[in-house]
Amino acid sequence: MRKADLYASLVVFLVALPLCVGVAIASGVPAELGLVTGIVGGLVAGMLPGSSLQVSGPAAGLTVLVYEAVQTYGLPALGVLVLGAGLVQLVLGALRLGRWFRAVSVAVVQGMLAGIGLVLIAGQVYALGDTAAPASGLGKIAGLSSLPGAAEPRALAVGGATVAVLLLWPRWRRGARVVPAPLVAVALASAATGLWDLPVRRVTVHGLLDSVQPPSLAELGRLTEVGVLGTVLAFALIASAESLFSAAAVDRLHRGPRTDYDRELIAQGAGNAVCGVLGALPMTAVIVRSAANVRAGARTKASRVLHGVWLLLFTAVVPGVLGIIPVAALAGLLVHAGCKLVPVREVRTLWRGHRGEVVVLGVTAVAIVAGNLFEGVLIGLALAVAKTAWDISHVHVETEDRGDAGMVVRVVGNATFLRLPKLLDALEALPHDRDVRLELGGLRHVDHACAAALERWAAARDHGRVATITSTS
C-alpha cells in the first residue's frame, strides 16, 4: 500500500465522519446508521471492482426520499427498502444495464439534484434554529417567514458560524489540504458549544450495535405492497443514477483506470444489500468524498477501503465523541451541501443555448419540492421525452413549379402527429388548379397519423384532381 493511499484514506475519513452523521439525522434515523452505511461503503463497495477511486456512503441526494419513506413506513421497514434496492441494482448490473443510466437526460438529473437541494436547505434551516420543520416541501418553504421568531438564537448562531467556516476555510489552500473544511467547521462548533455550555440540541448516541436493526420476516413481507415496491425502485434507480453520474465526474478528475459502469452498479448493489440487512441507510457514490480522495493523491482502491476501517474504529473506540456535536452544526453542513446541489452555473450555461433543457430542469425541481422525489423525477422524465419528441419532429415542405408539368412538392424530415398541423397547413395552401406530385423520399420517419392524413389529403385534392405520392429518394 502506498503512503498516498494511507493519507488519502485519512482525509476521506475526516470528510465522511460529519457527513455520515448529518445525513442520518436529516433522514430521521439514528446517527449511527449513517456511520454503518459509511463503513459498508468502504469495506464492501470499496473492495469490489468498478471505479477505483470513487467513495461510497450515505448521500444528501437521498435524504429527502429516505425521510419520506421512514415517515410513511416506519424505521423498521428501512432495511427492507434498502435491501430490495440493492437486489435491484445487482440485477441491473448483471444484465449489463449500467451504461444505460448515462442515457438519462442531464436536465432531469440536475433538476432532481436541484429539487433535493432546495428541500434539504428548507428543512435544515429549521434544524439550524433547533426547531421542528413542517412535513411537506411546500410547508417548509411557507414556514420560513415565521422561522426567525421560533428559532433558538444561540443554535442559529452556531449553525450560521458553521456555514461561514465551510465557505471561508477552503480559501486557505494550505490548511484545507491538511484538514478538510467539514471537520474544521463541526469541530469548532462543538468546541464553542462545550466551552460556553450553550443550551443547544446535540447528537443523541445509542451505540452502534444497538442501532443495527436487521429486517424481520414480517417487514420482508411488505415487499408485496405496491407502495413499498415503488419506493424500492425509486431508491434503486435514483441511487444508481447518482452513483454512475458521480463516477463519470470522478473519471474526469484523474488519469487512472476508467469506471466499468456495470461492475460499479454491482458493487453499489452489494453494498446496499448489506446495508439493508443491517437496517442502515442506502448508499451511493458521493462526489464530495470521491473528489477529496482524488485530490488527496489516492492511487488505488485501498484508500476508500481504509476510510471504512477508520470509521469502524472510531465508532468502536470513541462513539461518545458524537454526543458533543451540536445538531445545528450538522444542519449547517447540510445547508452548505444542499446549496451545492443546486446547479446555478449549469443553468446559466443551458439558458444561453438550450432553454428547453432549463424548462425540464425547473419543472423537475418544482415538482419535487411541491410533491415528492419519485413523482418529480417521473414528471421530469416524461417532459424530457416529450421535449425530445418535439425537437426531432422537424418537417419541411419544399415546392417546385414546373409550369405545365405541374408542381413537385417534397416533404423532408420527420413527419409525426406533433407536426401534423404544420404539414397540413402547408399542403392545403397549395394552388387547387394545379397538378401536384408529392414526393416523400426525404422523410426519415412517418408515423401512422401523418401517413393517414397524407392519403386523405391526396384523395380529396381538388375534388378528384390526382396528386401523385411517391417515395423516391
mmCIF file of all heavy atoms in Angstrom, residues 61 67 74 79 81 95 146 153 165 197 217-218 256 305 311 356 419 421 464 469:
data_model
loop_
_atom_site.group_PDB
_atom_site.id
_atom_site.type_symbol
_atom_site.label_atom_id
_atom_site.label_comp_id
_atom_site.label_asym_id
_atom_site.label_seq_id
_atom_site.Cartn_x
_atom_site.Cartn_y
_atom_site.Cartn_z
ATOM 1 N N GLY A 61 -28.208 13.422 -1.422
ATOM 2 C CA GLY A 61 -29.153 13.295 -2.518
ATOM 3 C C GLY A 61 -30.327 12.379 -2.248
ATOM 4 O O GLY A 61 -31.364 12.495 -2.908
ATOM 5 N N TYR A 67 -36.248 10.162 4.220
ATOM 6 C CA TYR A 67 -37.100 10.760 5.257
ATOM 7 C C TYR A 67 -38.569 10.462 4.983
ATOM 8 O O TYR A 67 -39.322 10.077 5.899
ATOM 9 C CB TYR A 67 -36.858 12.264 5.315
ATOM 10 C CG TYR A 67 -37.670 12.973 6.382
ATOM 11 C CD1 TYR A 67 -37.207 13.034 7.693
ATOM 12 C CD2 TYR A 67 -38.902 13.562 6.084
ATOM 13 C CE1 TYR A 67 -37.953 13.671 8.676
ATOM 14 C CE2 TYR A 67 -39.649 14.210 7.056
ATOM 15 C CZ TYR A 67 -39.169 14.258 8.348
ATOM 16 O OH TYR A 67 -39.905 14.869 9.323
ATOM 17 N N GLY A 74 -42.164 3.635 8.530
ATOM 18 C CA GLY A 74 -41.532 3.374 9.811
ATOM 19 C C GLY A 74 -40.075 2.969 9.666
ATOM 20 O O GLY A 74 -39.661 2.430 8.633
ATOM 21 N N GLY A 79 -34.678 -1.155 6.391
ATOM 22 C CA GLY A 79 -33.795 -2.230 5.946
ATOM 23 C C GLY A 79 -34.360 -2.986 4.754
ATOM 24 O O GLY A 79 -33.629 -3.340 3.825
ATOM 25 N N LEU A 81 -36.453 -1.809 2.473
ATOM 26 C CA LEU A 81 -36.388 -0.932 1.302
ATOM 27 C C LEU A 81 -34.983 -0.903 0.709
ATOM 28 O O LEU A 81 -34.802 -0.996 -0.510
ATOM 29 C CB LEU A 81 -36.817 0.485 1.686
ATOM 30 C CG LEU A 81 -38.254 0.644 2.193
ATOM 31 C CD1 LEU A 81 -38.472 2.048 2.721
ATOM 32 C CD2 LEU A 81 -39.253 0.342 1.087
ATOM 33 N N LEU A 95 -27.311 -7.704 -15.688
ATOM 34 C CA LEU A 95 -27.870 -7.605 -17.048
ATOM 35 C C LEU A 95 -27.126 -6.585 -17.904
ATOM 36 O O LEU A 95 -27.534 -6.323 -19.034
ATOM 37 C CB LEU A 95 -29.356 -7.226 -16.972
ATOM 38 C CG LEU A 95 -30.282 -8.271 -16.343
ATOM 39 C CD1 LEU A 95 -31.707 -7.726 -16.234
ATOM 40 C CD2 LEU A 95 -30.279 -9.571 -17.144
ATOM 41 N N SER A 146 -41.956 32.588 9.332
ATOM 42 C CA SER A 146 -42.160 32.610 10.782
ATOM 43 C C SER A 146 -40.982 32.006 11.548
ATOM 44 O O SER A 146 -41.009 31.945 12.777
ATOM 45 C CB SER A 146 -43.437 31.839 11.140
ATOM 46 O OG SER A 146 -43.343 30.488 10.719
ATOM 47 N N PRO A 153 -31.840 31.473 19.185
ATOM 48 C CA PRO A 153 -30.779 32.348 18.648
ATOM 49 C C PRO A 153 -29.387 31.746 18.751
ATOM 50 O O PRO A 153 -28.574 31.881 17.837
ATOM 51 C CB PRO A 153 -30.909 33.613 19.492
ATOM 52 C CG PRO A 153 -32.306 33.586 20.026
ATOM 53 C CD PRO A 153 -32.648 32.146 20.213
ATOM 54 N N VAL A 165 -17.617 29.022 8.260
ATOM 55 C CA VAL A 165 -16.338 28.308 8.235
ATOM 56 C C VAL A 165 -16.220 27.447 6.972
ATOM 57 O O VAL A 165 -15.163 27.379 6.334
ATOM 58 C CB VAL A 165 -16.176 27.431 9.493
ATOM 59 C CG1 VAL A 165 -14.931 26.549 9.383
ATOM 60 C CG2 VAL A 165 -16.088 28.306 10.736
ATOM 61 N N ASP A 197 -20.925 26.260 27.148
ATOM 62 C CA ASP A 197 -22.065 25.473 27.645
ATOM 63 C C ASP A 197 -23.388 25.990 27.071
ATOM 64 O O ASP A 197 -24.337 26.292 27.804
ATOM 65 C CB ASP A 197 -22.098 25.514 29.177
ATOM 66 C CG ASP A 197 -23.051 24.455 29.748
ATOM 67 O OD1 ASP A 197 -23.304 23.451 29.040
ATOM 68 O OD2 ASP A 197 -23.555 24.655 30.862
ATOM 69 N N LEU A 217 -39.028 -10.976 9.374
ATOM 70 C CA LEU A 217 -39.795 -11.649 8.316
ATOM 71 C C LEU A 217 -41.078 -10.886 8.004
ATOM 72 O O LEU A 217 -41.511 -10.814 6.851
ATOM 73 C CB LEU A 217 -40.126 -13.077 8.749
ATOM 74 C CG LEU A 217 -38.935 -14.053 8.820
ATOM 75 C CD1 LEU A 217 -39.394 -15.410 9.336
ATOM 76 C CD2 LEU A 217 -38.290 -14.198 7.439
ATOM 77 N N ALA A 218 -41.675 -10.299 9.048
ATOM 78 C CA ALA A 218 -42.902 -9.529 8.823
ATOM 79 C C ALA A 218 -42.623 -8.320 7.937
ATOM 80 O O ALA A 218 -43.420 -7.985 7.046
ATOM 81 C CB ALA A 218 -43.485 -9.084 10.168
ATOM 82 N N GLY A 256 -6.247 7.650 -14.094
ATOM 83 C CA GLY A 256 -6.167 6.221 -13.848
ATOM 84 C C GLY A 256 -7.199 5.439 -14.646
ATOM 85 O O GLY A 256 -7.814 5.950 -15.586
ATOM 86 N N VAL A 305 -11.144 1.754 1.000
ATOM 87 C CA VAL A 305 -11.359 0.660 1.959
ATOM 88 C C VAL A 305 -10.899 1.091 3.345
ATOM 89 O O VAL A 305 -11.591 0.871 4.347
ATOM 90 C CB VAL A 305 -10.607 -0.603 1.504
ATOM 91 C CG1 VAL A 305 -10.732 -1.707 2.557
ATOM 92 C CG2 VAL A 305 -11.149 -1.094 0.166
ATOM 93 N N LEU A 311 -13.600 4.624 10.009
ATOM 94 C CA LEU A 311 -14.944 4.858 10.534
ATOM 95 C C LEU A 311 -15.335 3.781 11.540
ATOM 96 O O LEU A 311 -15.939 4.073 12.582
ATOM 97 C CB LEU A 311 -15.958 4.897 9.385
ATOM 98 C CG LEU A 311 -15.985 6.152 8.508
ATOM 99 C CD1 LEU A 311 -16.929 5.949 7.327
ATOM 100 C CD2 LEU A 311 -16.422 7.373 9.308
ATOM 101 N N GLY A 356 -34.908 25.007 -23.572
ATOM 102 C CA GLY A 356 -35.859 23.933 -23.303
ATOM 103 C C GLY A 356 -35.379 23.015 -22.196
ATOM 104 O O GLY A 356 -36.176 22.509 -21.389
ATOM 105 N N ARG A 419 -46.252 17.471 -35.503
ATOM 106 C CA ARG A 419 -46.098 18.485 -36.552
ATOM 107 C C ARG A 419 -47.178 18.379 -37.633
ATOM 108 O O ARG A 419 -47.070 19.029 -38.672
ATOM 109 C CB ARG A 419 -44.721 18.334 -37.205
ATOM 110 C CG ARG A 419 -43.562 18.467 -36.238
ATOM 111 C CD ARG A 419 -43.378 19.893 -35.765
ATOM 112 N NE ARG A 419 -42.222 20.022 -34.871
ATOM 113 C CZ ARG A 419 -41.672 21.160 -34.510
ATOM 114 N NH1 ARG A 419 -42.183 22.281 -34.969
ATOM 115 N NH2 ARG A 419 -40.640 21.198 -33.695
ATOM 116 N N PRO A 421 -50.335 19.511 -37.830
ATOM 117 C CA PRO A 421 -50.993 20.770 -38.215
ATOM 118 C C PRO A 421 -50.143 21.610 -39.166
ATOM 119 O O PRO A 421 -50.653 22.162 -40.145
ATOM 120 C CB PRO A 421 -51.215 21.477 -36.873
ATOM 121 C CG PRO A 421 -51.285 20.375 -35.877
ATOM 122 C CD PRO A 421 -50.300 19.361 -36.353
ATOM 123 N N GLY A 464 -61.012 15.429 -56.815
ATOM 124 C CA GLY A 464 -60.679 14.377 -57.755
ATOM 125 C C GLY A 464 -59.435 14.615 -58.559
ATOM 126 O O GLY A 464 -58.945 13.717 -59.233
ATOM 127 N N ILE A 469 -48.346 10.451 -55.116
ATOM 128 C CA ILE A 469 -47.475 10.324 -53.942
ATOM 129 C C ILE A 469 -46.372 9.331 -54.290
ATOM 130 O O ILE A 469 -46.658 8.210 -54.706
ATOM 131 C CB ILE A 469 -48.246 9.843 -52.709
ATOM 132 C CG1 ILE A 469 -49.350 10.841 -52.350
ATOM 133 C CG2 ILE A 469 -47.320 9.629 -51.543
ATOM 134 C CD1 ILE A 469 -50.164 10.441 -51.143
#
